[in-house]
Every structure is written in structure tokens, then in C-alpha cells.
Amino acid sequence: MPDPRGERAMYDTNYVRIMDSLRQKIKDGTYKSEQKLPELDDLAQEYGATVSSVRQAVDILEKEGLLIQKQVPAFFISSLKKDRILVVEDNPVTRELLEDIVFSSGYMVKTAKDGHEAVNLIEAQKFNLVFLDLRLPGISGIEILKKIKEVAPGVPVVVIAGYPEDLLSAKKGAIWPEMVISKPFKISQIKEALTLIKNKD
């Protein structure tokens, strides 16, 4: 998967603006799975840009796997897997990177920036996998881990730990995630963690 941050460096702000807007509309469901994307001419008019600018943005999203060209020149939103992933991370850069990796892998994803937001999401929605930072404002990651094991014991939890000593608290509490990934992590490690969804009972 191309790194969207690397792609950004190659294009001016007009490409980035269109690309980010289209990506966000796919993320928030404005454009549904398998829905036809508006014609490039219509998008150019909507964004006040040239067709060439829109085409560059669309090409990047196609490389990321978010769009697919089923018929020339029409593009369609790629099918998203029904599995829903939760990312709990207080660092905005890390949180956005995890969201991009998971979403570009074809999964629906929600994010939480602190413990309270994570608890609200866990209680309100069903998730198939959780990426969890242990050092969080509000409610700690250890408490979130306990909460998940109580309300959704079958959901795999992948702890992303920046400090090895944080894992001692989990061990003392007799709770343990399905996988532990150390920071800084690699994209391949996150994709490997996503296979826990397929492997769970």
C-alpha cells in the first residue's frame, strides 16, 4: 500500500485537498461501498479544480485500494469488509496512521483519543478487533483492556506499547491481549494483527 504521506509530498495542496476530502467521504459513509463515484467533470466543478487535479487525486485513491475502475472512465468505491476495527490512541499522528493502515486494508474503522471515548464506543458498538495504546488520558489502557474482556470477551485486542513496563500491569491483573506490538511499529505488523479477525472463533 502506498504511504499517503509519501504521496502528499509529490502533489501540490490542490491535489491533497481533493484527495483528503474524497477519502474522508468514503470513511464517513457519504460514499457507500460499491457506489459509483461522481463523474470527474462533476467533481472538478464541485471542488473548483481542473479535471486533471481530480484525476490525480482519484489515481492515488485507486492505488490505495479505496477506489476501483470497473468501467472507463467510471470509478466505484471499493467494497469494505464488514468487520469493524477500533483504534484507541491518544497521539494524533499515530492514531491517524493506524486509521489509514486499517482503512486502506479494507476495514471499517473507528477511533478514540482517550479512555472515556473508548469506553463509550465499546459499550455502544460491536467491534471485531481493537488496537489499544496503554497510556491514555482519563481511563488507562489497562482498564480499557479489562472492560473489553468483560463486555466482549471474544474480541481480539492488540496492545501497541511504547513502554515495556506497562505490560507488567496487565500481567499482574491476569489479563493479556492477543498480540503485543512495540512502538515504533511497522505497517506489516499492523496487517499481521488484522489476521486475528480471521483466526478468531
Side-chain angles (χ1 to χ4, degrees):
M1 178 195 75
D3 184 346
R5 288 163 185 73
E7 296 283 2
R8 285 167 194 246
M10 296 171 58
Y11 302 108
D12 62 31
T13 55
N14 208 32
Y15 295 100
V16 174
R17 176 175 63 88
I18 298 168
M19 178 177 62
D20 284 349
S21 177
L22 291 175
R23 186 189 289 112
Q24 185 58 45
K25 287 181 178 181
I26 297 171
K27 282 184 179 180
D28 65 22
T30 301
Y31 293 143
K32 307 293 183 184
S33 180
E34 299 187 13
Q35 176 183 341
K36 182 181 178 182
L37 192 71
E39 300 291 340
L40 300 188
D41 287 343
D42 294 334
L43 287 171
Q45 185 174 359
E46 177 185 344
Y47 288 104
T50 64
V51 173
S52 176
S53 296
V54 174
R55 181 69 198 219
Q56 291 285 9
V58 167
D59 284 346
I60 295 170
L61 296 177
E62 184 183 20
K63 290 177 183 177
E64 292 180 2
L66 298 181
L67 296 176
I68 183 171
Q69 191 170 23
K70 295 183 179 179
Q71 49 188 262
V72 179
F75 286 86
F76 291 77
I77 312 303
S78 294
S79 298
L80 291 176
K81 301 177 179 68
K82 294 182 179 179
D83 302 294
R84 189 181 298 274
I85 315 299
L86 175 62
V87 171
V88 186
E89 170 63 59
D90 64 320
N91 183 291
V93 175
T94 304
R95 185 172 63 247
E96 182 181 351
L97 177 57
L98 282 167
E99 181 182 15
D100 284 346
I101 295 170
V102 173
F103 185 70
S104 295
S105 297
Y107 295 92
M108 294 181 286
V109 57
K110 289 281 187 178
T111 63
K113 63 181 180 299
D114 57 45
H116 292 291
E117 192 173 354
V119 168
N120 289 338
L121 285 170
I122 291 165
E123 291 179 341
Q125 301 181 34
K126 177 183 176 182
F127 293 96
N128 302 92
L129 186 142
V130 178
F131 287 99
L132 177 65
D133 182 20
L134 291 185
R135 293 202 176 187
L136 297 168
I139 303 174
S140 73
I142 295 298
E143 293 302 315
I144 300 297
L145 181 57
K146 289 179 181 177
K147 183 72 174 180
I148 295 171
K149 295 303 181 182
E150 289 173 3
V151 303
V155 175
V157 178
V158 179
V159 162
I160 299 181
Y163 304 90
E165 61 268 24
D166 291 344
L167 296 173
L168 295 177
S169 298
K171 192 171 183 179
K172 289 178 181 177
I175 54 173
W176 198 251
E178 278 66 28
M179 183 180 290
V180 177
I181 297 175
S182 298
K183 294 180 181 178
F185 55 80
K186 298 178 180 178
I187 292 177
S188 60
Q189 291 176 300
I190 303 303
K191 291 193 171 186
E192 179 184 353
L194 291 171
T195 64
L196 289 172
I197 298 173
K198 301 174 184 178
N199 294 337
K200 67 179 175 46
D201 295 330

